[in-house]
Amino acid sequence: MSLANGRHYLAIPGPSVVPDRVLQAMHRAAPNIYTGELPEMVEGLLPDLRAVARTGHDVAIYIANGHGAWEAALANTHARGDKVLVLATGRFALGWSEIAKRLGIECEILDFGKTSDVAADRVEAALRGDAGHAYRSVLMVHVDTSTSVRNDVAAVRRVLDDAGHPALLMVDCIASLACDRFEMDAWGVDLMVAASQKGLMTPPGLGFVFFNDRADAARGRADCNTHYWDWDLRVRPVDFYQYFDGTAPTHHLYGLRAALDMIAEEGLENVWSRHEKLAAAIWAACEAWGTDGPLQLNIADRAKRSCAVTAIQLGAPKGTELRDWLTANAGVTLGIGLGMAESGEEAWHGHFRIGHMGHVNSHMVLGVLGAIEAGMVALDIPHGSGALSAAARACAAA
Ligand SMILES: *Cc1c(COP(=O)(O)O)cnc(C)c1O
């Protein structure tokens, strides 16, 4: 006997829930990729993408996932043998550095661990120690999806400015765009990478690189650039096909159009505050559960938690048991504990994550939390009481 039948909720931190409106926009015959409606529609996507990134600068669109956007960002801005400073707060900045290394870029990694954000004083020391300005860029992740930490991007900009260091500030917003507040231009970000399948509510397959003039200027010496990743024609196309260096990702573009319409109709500020309020409900529940028993939020300080994803420690093997129970019995699938395996034997099974990015509302969040509580009861996992009413109160207070 299972209560899992009904609409399944994939509550993992990407791919996120795809709204019916996005799916319906994609359910259509293939359009002409040379003239007509599609080229006109794509012109209209660009200002809306810029608005979501809070930038007036360029955006190149790739048929790629986030890894492709990572590679595009580096290929356009670096030469082999360049040095970059990587600020690691979990799996994802390290993943970006792996791509850099394969391009022949030397990575200096400042590792802040798996439960902390970037500490500005350590970044400052590293930059001041680089008097010859060997670092061509600083790579950081706004929200690290493995740890659910949210880094202070503007603080890193201030450190760069105070140190008078010319390195580009390159930020991965794949998890945070249209979830956590992000202001590309106001925060002085030179380049930002994003992808379609998280806050942008569209299936995986589109990668985005937003870049300003400083990042564009670095392209001149980028000897690891290639025809496909080169952003030049993608942002300055003479013919429509050059936007994508080939056939346009037709159906994804229609899906993205619908998703951007939804964001514009709700209003970006409201989208951010919805994510904030829903995250607060999740934290309220987790904090109540954590008053008794093993459950702990991975990031202790509320001010440093992402509003898009929450990483939780439960102790091995309970994390995996709880995830399996929820899929089999409640119709909810939680995210695995990513990047935690190296913490020790079987540690991986002690973690799980809740994805609450994009097309998510209070009944979905309250449903996930109720299902987690049911799972902890069924599996005899001790936990504090009052979690669900605390979450309900948080939603009511919104
Ligand atoms: C999901 C994610 C990635 C990787 O994106 P893919 O589409 O899986 O390549 C990179 N960085 C962050 C912060 C992410 O959340």
Side-chain angles (χ1 to χ4, degrees):
M1 170 56 201
S2 161
L3 302 181
N5 291 321
R7 181 176 283 230
H8 195 95
Y9 176 15
L10 185 67
I12 69 175
S16 65
V17 173
V18 182
D20 289 347
R21 190 165 156 192
V22 171
L23 292 171
Q24 281 153 11
M26 297 178 78
H27 190 109
R28 49 171 296 148
N32 187 351
I33 56 166
Y34 299 106
T35 56
E37 186 197 333
L38 181 74
E40 282 161 31
M41 193 268 285
V42 169
E43 293 278 345
L45 288 174
L46 303 175
D48 295 346
L49 282 169
R50 287 190 196 104
V52 171
R54 291 291 174 103
T55 183
H57 294 292
D58 282 321
V59 53
I61 309 177
Y62 295 90
I63 302 184
N65 59 15
H67 281 67
W70 274 345
E71 185 156 326
L74 293 163
N76 278 279
T77 50
H78 289 79
R80 289 185 179 78
D82 276 2
K83 250 177 117 172
V84 300
L85 184 65
V86 179
L87 312 182
T89 53
R91 188 57 224 126
F92 285 94
L94 295 173
W96 201 359
S97 76
E98 293 303 321
I99 303 243
K101 286 179 201 161
R102 286 290 296 272
L103 288 169
I105 298 165
E106 200 185 316
C107 297
E108 180 85 25
I109 294 172
L110 283 185
D111 199 333
F112 300 89
K114 292 176 185 155
T115 54
S116 310
D117 64 335
V118 165
D121 56 343
R122 282 181 62 197
V123 182
E124 185 179 354
L127 292 175
R128 291 198 189 276
D130 178 34
H133 297 166
Y135 297 133
R136 289 279 173 177
S137 62
V138 174
L139 306 188
M140 70 182 293
V141 174
H142 183 211
V143 163
D144 192 293
T145 323
S146 63
T147 62
S148 72
V149 77
R150 182 167 46 80
N151 287 306
D152 187 343
V153 173
V156 174
R157 172 82 268 165
R158 284 193 293 277
V159 167
L160 276 161
D161 289 349
D162 292 350
H165 200 294
L168 296 173
L169 177 56
M170 315 221 318
V171 184
D172 169 345
C173 290
I174 294 171
S176 57
L177 191 69
C179 303
D180 284 278
R181 173 179 293 277
F182 175 78
E183 309 264 3
M184 176 162 170
D185 292 354
W187 294 356
V189 173
D190 295 303
L191 180 151
M192 184 271 276
V193 296
S196 52
Q197 78 273 24
K198 298 190 183 179
L200 294 178
M201 308 182 288
T202 302
L206 297 179
F208 307 94
V209 181
F210 298 79
F211 57 92
N212 68 11
D213 301 345
R214 292 188 69 223
D216 200 22
R219 192 179 145 270
R221 51 179 296 285
D223 70 2
C224 49
N225 208 355
T226 59
H227 191 285
Y228 189 74
W229 292 125
D230 193 349
W231 65 40
D232 191 45
L233 283 178
R234 289 171 186 263
V235 300
R236 292 175 269 269
V238 180
D239 292 310
F240 179 72
Y241 80 92
Q242 290 168 328
Y243 273 117
F244 306 102
D245 204 19
T247 304
T250 48
H251 290 69
H252 277 72
L253 295 169
Y254 282 104
L256 181 66
R257 179 65 273 163
L260 291 170
D261 286 343
M262 291 174 70
I263 291 170
E265 285 162 22
E266 184 175 356
L268 186 58
E269 294 280 349
N270 293 332
V271 170
W272 287 335
S273 82
R274 172 167 51 83
H275 282 84
E276 260 171 47
K277 300 283 162 50
L278 294 174
I282 290 170
W283 303 339
C286 292
E287 285 159 3
W289 284 325
T291 57
D292 185 18
L295 188 146
Q296 291 301 324
L297 284 149
N298 193 52
I299 303 299
D301 182 349
R302 274 191 174 221
K304 296 179 176 172
R305 290 180 197 151
S306 164
C307 298
V309 52
T310 298
I312 294 164
Q313 307 169 4
L314 196 56
K318 291 296 180 198
T320 296
E321 287 176 13
L322 184 73
R323 282 192 304 102
D324 290 347
W325 191 92
L326 260 70
T327 297
N329 298 287
V332 175
T333 296
L334 301 171
I336 60 169
L338 205 61
M340 301 297 174
E342 58 272 30
S343 318
E345 179 92 354
E346 293 291 291
W348 189 80
H349 294 294
H351 300 259
F352 68 92
R353 291 172 302 156
I354 306 172
H356 37 101
M357 46 179 56
H359 194 54
V360 179
N361 58 23
S362 64
H363 90 73
M364 295 162 81
V365 160
L366 293 171
V368 168
L369 296 171
I372 290 172
E373 177 142 324
M376 288 198 289
V377 170
L379 297 170
D380 275 329
I381 301 170
H383 55 277
S385 62
L388 299 180
S389 56
R393 276 195 304 278
C395 288

